[in-house]
Amino acid sequence: MVATRYETAFKLYPYEKVAAQAGPVVRHPVVIIGGGPVGLALALDLGRKGTPALVLDDHDGAGLGSKAICFAKRTLDIAHRLGAGRPMVDKGVVWNVGRVFHGEGQVFEFDLLPEDGHRNPGFINLQQPYFERFLVDAIREAQAAGAPTEIRGRNLVTDIETFDDHAILKIDTPDGPYTLEADWVVACDGARSPTRDRMGLSFDGRVFEDNFLIADVKMKADFPTERWFWFQPPFEGAGQSALLHKQPDDIWRIDFQLGWDIDRDAELDPDRIRARVDAMLSSQTGKVPDYELEWTSIYTFQCRRMKTFRHGPVLFAGDAAHQVSPFGARGANSGVQDADNLGWKLDLVCKGKADQSLLDSYATERAFGADENILNSSRATDFMTPKTEISQIFRNAVLDLAGQHAFARPLVNSGRLSVPCVYDDFPHFGPDALNGPARTRPGAACTDAPVENAFLLDHLSDGFMLLALGFDTPPQDALPVVHIAAPSPALAERYLGDAPRALYLIRPDQHIIARWPDYHANAVTIAMQNALGKAAR
């Protein structure tokens, strides 16, 4: 019997016995361990590209509890490319505005998407089980269209043995154990990754000495759909900080900072949690509405990562590779970006169109992204939880100044919210001969913009492509070309700047490889070869 069981919010892939459990050992191109947001996004991407991917999950659907709830615009853009974005936005609580308070007074507010011309909002709040369900729905649709993707629920990986060119996995199921082989294994099995532990790999970093109580509360309330964060909240029992966020289904996420030296069992007592929630609600509304505690937990901040995300035929992604604090929504969002980066590279390697050294660029690029997230997360945590008297004085002085002076507001850190990673000066990106707008420089992810009655990202493919703005170009080595003869003002501002026209080379994850003020076939060829690595064939 499977050793580990979970209650599920959605039973998405019930256990079914497969022929391979009783027959000879089967070799798979890609095996993904873990059916969370990262593993499912990667499987969906590979399947849509035609590369077989097998997902092994130790339960049969999305687990209970909200877990991740904040999904950033970049993640929604990726989900839209994969055919799963629309139901996420439709179900999610859309928000762009956040407010920061110090005591009873508002320090400032911010807007994450102050400009028009984007399909997706700056953020949505959506419980992770829904996010996973919509990815599985998209996988089922892709399977119906012929995508070679398979999900096996209640298939628990119990051992892994690695070789130069493959790995052997042992799996436990309700009908007993079996063995399979994989050319490539991607471990998406969470921060406590059993795969990482079995391989004896390190997971180094920092544990922050503080505890946070998380409570998902079901209630009818008139709070706006914004992110509210308090430093030194005015309500009793909240500790140094508190957070309030709305989710779908009349669920509200509330966080309280408890401090380090606590009795966890006592703090998880429902009566004690209710006392804290009551104090918060009454301070904001003058009364306590009827509510139910849907889910509660206590967590401790950790910022860690593996030294490298590739170990022979085994790659690590998401929380298995790196872990950050939840403030800033950098966990699931950065994990989906891992999948976005890895999917097209693994696809080309499996099809023999690129050497496996291309996978090393996944490890280096996403390690850079992890370091960026850890840096921002650590700074936020240090600001939120000052450990010395001097740090406390500095933090409070910044908050006092920020209420009246704009220069101090960038110093306020309640969690720098997730933004896409820019791979500046990485070796697989080409020249910036255009010297155009900074946000669409090589290494950056394409930003959206209006195009006639649609959006730019709708016109971008799942493969390499050229974007020609303001002029036509001839075909280039079967690279698809999107021509936009008369860019809208927003598109021009985001991609042209002062230039009359531009040519962009874009890779499958919609990151910009290079850009030029005109078309030159040789320059495009060189940039393409560079993007694939010297061993491309």
Side-chain angles (χ1 to χ4, degrees):
M1 297 295 289
V2 175
T4 303
R5 298 274 187 89
Y6 294 91
E7 292 184 272
T8 55
F10 302 114
K11 200 168 186 177
L12 302 174
Y13 29 86
Y15 170 76
E16 294 182 5
K17 187 175 181 179
V18 295
Q21 291 173 225
V25 174
V26 176
R27 182 85 162 251
H28 296 263
V30 179
V31 171
I32 299 167
I33 304 175
V38 181
L40 293 173
L42 178 60
L44 176 57
D45 199 7
L46 288 170
R48 285 165 56 92
K49 289 176 167 60
T51 291
L54 169 63
V55 179
L56 301 175
D57 200 55
D58 60 357
H59 56 297
D60 52 16
L64 289 172
S66 294
K67 302 180 183 178
I69 66 163
C70 296
F71 294 96
K73 181 181 182 301
R74 175 62 182 149
T75 298
L76 298 176
D77 289 342
I78 294 168
H80 183 73
R81 177 178 68 80
L82 297 176
R86 176 47 52 196
M88 293 177 181
V89 176
D90 288 345
K91 179 66 178 180
V93 174
V94 172
W95 67 277
N96 294 312
V97 173
R99 300 182 190 274
V100 178
F101 303 90
H102 184 205
E104 295 182 351
Q106 179 173 311
V107 176
F108 69 95
E109 66 180 78
F110 57 86
D111 189 338
L112 295 170
L113 195 63
E115 62 185 11
D116 295 327
H118 295 262
R119 172 180 291 281
N120 288 312
F123 265 86
I124 65 168
N125 286 353
L126 180 72
Q127 296 94 324
Q128 183 174 318
Y130 281 117
F131 190 89
E132 294 177 20
R133 191 184 83 179
F134 295 137
L135 286 174
V136 172
D137 288 345
I139 288 173
R140 300 300 186 214
E141 291 180 12
Q143 287 174 325
T149 309
E150 183 182 358
I151 307 174
R152 295 181 187 173
R154 296 178 66 189
N155 274 235
L156 175 66
V157 177
T158 59
D159 197 15
I160 182 170
E161 186 178 4
T162 61
F163 302 88
D164 289 341
D165 62 346
H166 73 289
I168 298 176
L169 287 79
K170 294 183 178 179
I171 297 104
D172 193 15
T173 77
D175 288 306
Y178 71 102
T179 300
L180 59 76
E181 296 180 354
D183 294 331
W184 299 99
V185 175
V186 186
C188 305
D189 49 352
R192 298 178 181 177
S193 171
T195 306
R196 190 183 61 231
D197 290 344
R198 289 190 183 100
M199 294 179 66
L201 301 173
S202 64
F203 197 49
D204 302 320
R206 177 182 175 193
V207 178
F208 291 87
E209 295 186 357
D210 219 320
N211 292 286
F212 288 77
L213 170 68
I214 183 172
D216 280 352
V217 174
K218 186 176 182 64
M219 65 179 177
K220 299 285 187 180
D222 294 328
F223 298 117
T225 54
E226 301 172 346
R227 180 186 192 261
W228 284 10
F229 188 95
W230 287 266
F231 290 99
Q232 296 181 315
F235 29 91
E236 184 178 354
Q240 290 193 58
S241 68
L243 176 69
L244 177 68
H245 250 194
K246 185 180 182 181
Q247 305 174 61
D249 303 331
D250 294 319
I251 304 294
W252 295 79
R253 166 66 57 85
I254 301 175
D255 286 72
F256 298 108
Q257 185 177 350
L258 301 182
W260 180 240
D261 188 15
I262 65 169
D263 182 334
R264 294 173 70 93
D265 291 337
E267 295 296 351
L268 285 171
D269 180 83
D271 290 338
R272 194 156 183 166
I273 294 173
R274 282 185 171 276
R276 296 182 190 276
V277 174
D278 289 354
M280 168 185 269
L281 297 177
S282 63
S283 74
Q284 300 303 303
T285 65
K287 61 180 181 179
V288 179
D290 292 335
Y291 67 85
E292 299 175 9
L293 294 176
E294 289 281 307
W295 187 67
T296 60
S297 181
I298 290 177
Y299 59 87
T300 300
F301 284 178
Q302 299 186 45
C303 290
R304 304 173 182 267
R305 83 163 174 90
M306 301 178 68
K307 290 181 179 179
T308 180
F309 300 168
R310 181 187 173 196
H311 293 267
V314 182
L315 301 113
F316 290 80
D319 284 353
H322 47 78
Q323 184 181 11
V324 295
S325 75
F327 288 101
R330 293 174 176 271
N333 286 297
S334 64
V336 172
Q337 290 178 47
D338 289 351
D340 193 43
N341 186 294
L342 178 58
W344 66 272
K345 296 173 180 178
L346 197 51
D347 170 67
L348 292 179
V349 170
C350 287
K351 291 176 178 174
K353 295 182 178 180
D355 188 88
Q356 65 176 263
S357 62
L358 182 63
L359 298 177
D360 293 328
S361 72
Y362 159 74
T364 55
E365 288 174 6
R366 293 312 301 158
F368 171 77
D371 287 342
E372 182 178 276
N373 285 319
I374 288 172
L375 176 63
N376 280 283
S377 184
S378 299
R379 286 175 173 172
T381 305
D382 287 334
F383 191 85
M384 291 165 55
T385 61
K387 296 299 186 294
T388 67
E389 183 179 359
I390 293 298
S391 297
Q392 183 94 23
I393 291 171
F394 170 77
R395 197 277 301 274
N396 291 343
V398 167
L399 292 170
D400 289 339
L401 287 169
Q404 300 181 26
H405 303 286
F407 79 88
R409 289 167 193 164
L411 300 175
V412 177
N413 197 336
S414 62
R416 299 278 188 257
L417 290 161
S418 177
V419 295
C421 181
V422 179
Y423 304 116
D424 283 318
D425 302 321
F426 272 71
H428 290 282
F429 294 88
D432 184 6
L434 182 69
N435 194 28
R439 62 170 151 172
T440 49
R441 65 190 185 272
C446 287
T447 188
D448 212 355
V451 177
E452 296 179 349
N453 294 322
F455 295 91
L456 176 64
L457 298 187
D458 295 335
H459 292 267
L460 304 185
S461 68
D462 277 350
F464 290 93
M465 62 168 298
L466 291 168
L467 173 65
L469 302 175
F471 70 111
D472 290 336
T473 66
Q476 167 87 28
D477 296 334
L479 275 178
V481 184
V482 171
H483 296 99
I484 301 176
S488 67
L491 181 60
E493 183 271 329
R494 294 166 200 177
Y495 283 83
L496 290 174
D498 296 329
R501 59 186 187 175
L503 183 71
Y504 282 76
L505 177 60
I506 301 169
R507 68 186 199 179
D509 60 0
Q510 298 181 352
H511 277 261
I512 295 162
I513 299 170
R515 60 183 182 179
W516 303 271
D518 210 335
Y519 170 78
H520 297 285
N522 189 54
V524 173
T525 298
I526 292 172
M528 270 293 299
Q529 291 174 343
N530 185 57
L532 291 170
K534 294 181 180 180
R537 57 180 185 270

